[in-house]
Amino acid sequence: MGEQHHRPHPGVGDDGLHDVGLLEQLVSPDYLPDYVGARGARGPDGFKFILGLRAAFPDIHYTLDDILAAGDRVAVRWHWTGTHQGEFRGISASQKP
């Protein structure tokens, strides 16, 4: 398989998703989240945790570490950094990065 390069959607930037409505377009209905609190949510609904994340870490910055594709499957390894400025998952803001 040849190497391909793709640019992010214009609604997604270094500081995360700018238009949550894009989740319906960008997240597959088959998306199965792997995070505490997903409670069985799938597809775009399973990705909406980003709303609480962005509220708690308003200066969030995402880094894509790897994107691997084979056939019709894609895996992404990424991490984020930000300052804890609001409650997140029951933890009060620490004001620490």
Side-chain angles (χ1 to χ4, degrees), residues 13-17 31 34-36 47 49-66 76-89 91 94 96-97:
D14 285 342
D15 59 348
L17 194 62
Y31 169 69
D34 182 19
Y35 65 89
V36 175
F47 204 79
F49 73 93
I50 199 165
L51 298 174
L53 186 64
R54 294 198 66 206
F57 300 87
D59 62 344
I60 197 164
H61 175 80
Y62 297 87
T63 300
L64 289 176
D65 299 313
D66 291 300
V76 177
R77 187 173 66 89
W78 56 276
H79 71 274
W80 58 266
T81 57
T83 308
H84 189 191
Q85 297 179 35
E87 184 179 327
F88 185 65
R89 294 187 181 168
I91 301 171
S94 67
K96 295 180 181 177

